[in-house]
Amino acid sequence: MNRDEELVAEWLRSKGHKVCHLTDGQDPPDLVMDGDIAIEVTTINSLAHRSVWQFLDETFKSLGPAENGRGYWVSIEYEDETMFQSVDEGKRKKELRKHIKRVLEDHYRNPDSGTWRYEHNPIKLPHGLTLKILGKITDNPDRCKYEVYIGGEIKGDIVVDTLVKNIQSAIDKKSANKRIQERVAKYREWWLVVTEVLFPCVDRLDQDSLRIVSDAIVRREPWKHIIAVAVRSNRVFRAVALQTKPLPQSCC
């Protein structure tokens, strides 16, 4: 079971459901809930390339645990999402890691100094990467000194359009899967859970924006329910039902 499937399974169990994972060629589906509901899990990446986020997340974690839970959000901007897909990837990472550690260690030692007076003061780094240290993390479950702020400047129609495009693509791809089509009759219902891990926009949108996303999605067979899930800090942070009747109260 990959990590997304594990988190979805844990989330469903926390809502009182019995969930098992299918292996050894029995899948699809990825999971079976309550004995007769097929759960297929697929992941989208809405707005950022995986390598950039992973590099920053790993670099931030290498600074060590927060002192007394004191942590900060850091928004990121970059000019080239493929900056680590080149022959000098290792050299770029080494250079950026050195700069990031120096800047953030200086900030953590004295966050109230004049250098950090302005919340949105940009920190320009090599290769088109910019960091902005935002406010303190009020709820710091991972006890990290710094975490990538996933809201940043990303909002509005760009997020809506991106979510619609990527969720619809996931629906279409899974609906066309021949193995799923062959096994439809084995289960009473089929649910598609679309997880968004790296820059989860799902948890940043208000109800009106989510309604726009839901209305734009075309639900296809065999999916009875389509659920968009934002995953953060190794847990399901938010789950919303799309193009479906309201889910049972025990589910979301």
Side-chain angles (χ1 to χ4, degrees), residues 4-241:
D4 290 359
E5 292 168 8
E6 289 179 356
L7 292 175
V8 171
E10 291 171 6
W11 169 66
L12 290 170
R13 290 187 185 110
S14 74
K15 303 301 181 181
H17 297 282
K18 294 181 180 179
V19 180
C20 68
H21 179 241
L22 297 185
T23 57
D24 299 329
Q26 299 178 72
D27 62 316
D30 297 312
L31 309 171
V32 175
M33 184 176 75
D34 300 334
D36 61 356
I37 297 177
I39 309 287
E40 189 70 6
V41 180
T42 188
T43 302
I44 62 172
N45 180 13
S46 292
L47 293 172
H49 193 278
R50 181 178 294 266
S51 61
V52 178
W53 188 91
Q54 285 182 327
F55 166 75
L56 289 166
D57 186 55
E58 291 167 1
T59 301
F60 289 176
K61 282 181 169 58
S62 72
L63 294 171
E67 298 172 7
N68 300 317
R70 177 168 61 93
Y72 300 88
W73 292 115
V74 180
S75 74
I76 64 171
E77 296 178 4
Y78 47 88
E79 298 173 2
D80 180 13
E81 66 179 15
T82 65
M83 71 173 77
F84 298 138
Q85 296 180 346
S86 63
V87 293
D88 62 346
E89 171 187 344
K91 181 180 178 180
R92 288 188 177 193
K93 285 184 175 180
K94 183 177 180 180
E95 181 182 8
L96 281 169
R97 191 175 288 113
K98 178 181 177 181
H99 281 280
I100 291 169
K101 284 188 173 184
R102 176 182 57 78
V103 168
L104 295 185
E105 285 172 351
D106 287 348
H107 169 263
Y108 206 80
R109 281 194 295 267
N110 193 5
D112 298 321
S113 71
T115 305
W116 316 110
R117 184 174 301 161
Y118 300 104
E119 185 180 61
H120 296 287
N121 187 34
I123 303 165
K124 299 289 186 179
L125 298 174
H127 310 297
L129 181 64
T130 300
L131 307 182
K132 295 179 183 179
I133 299 175
L134 306 181
K136 289 184 179 180
I137 303 173
T138 55
D139 178 16
N140 194 4
D142 291 340
R143 295 293 188 267
C144 297
K145 288 180 179 176
Y146 296 92
E147 284 199 49
V148 179
Y149 179 63
I150 57 177
E153 310 301 326
I154 305 166
K155 55 187 176 180
D157 293 338
I158 294 176
V159 169
V160 169
D161 291 345
T162 302
L163 278 176
V164 169
K165 177 182 176 182
N166 289 333
I167 292 174
Q168 188 65 58
S169 177
I171 293 170
D172 295 345
K173 182 177 179 180
K174 287 293 183 178
S175 299
N177 186 298
K178 290 184 178 180
R179 287 174 64 84
I180 290 176
Q181 293 174 358
E182 292 168 355
R183 300 183 180 199
V184 167
K186 291 185 63 176
Y187 299 95
R188 179 170 59 87
E189 292 183 1
W190 283 74
W191 295 15
L192 180 61
V193 178
V194 181
T195 62
E196 191 189 19
V197 181
L198 300 178
F199 275 69
C201 301
V202 170
D203 71 314
R204 295 289 170 179
L205 297 184
D206 57 25
Q207 290 300 317
D208 289 339
S209 296
L210 284 170
R211 191 175 298 112
I212 293 171
V213 173
S214 182
D215 289 345
I217 294 296
V218 178
R219 180 165 61 90
R220 306 192 187 284
E221 295 297 333
W223 312 112
K224 177 73 172 180
H225 296 296
I226 297 170
I227 308 170
V229 167
V231 174
R232 287 178 56 191
S233 301
N234 287 322
R235 65 187 177 97
V236 170
F237 191 78
R238 185 185 188 189
V240 292

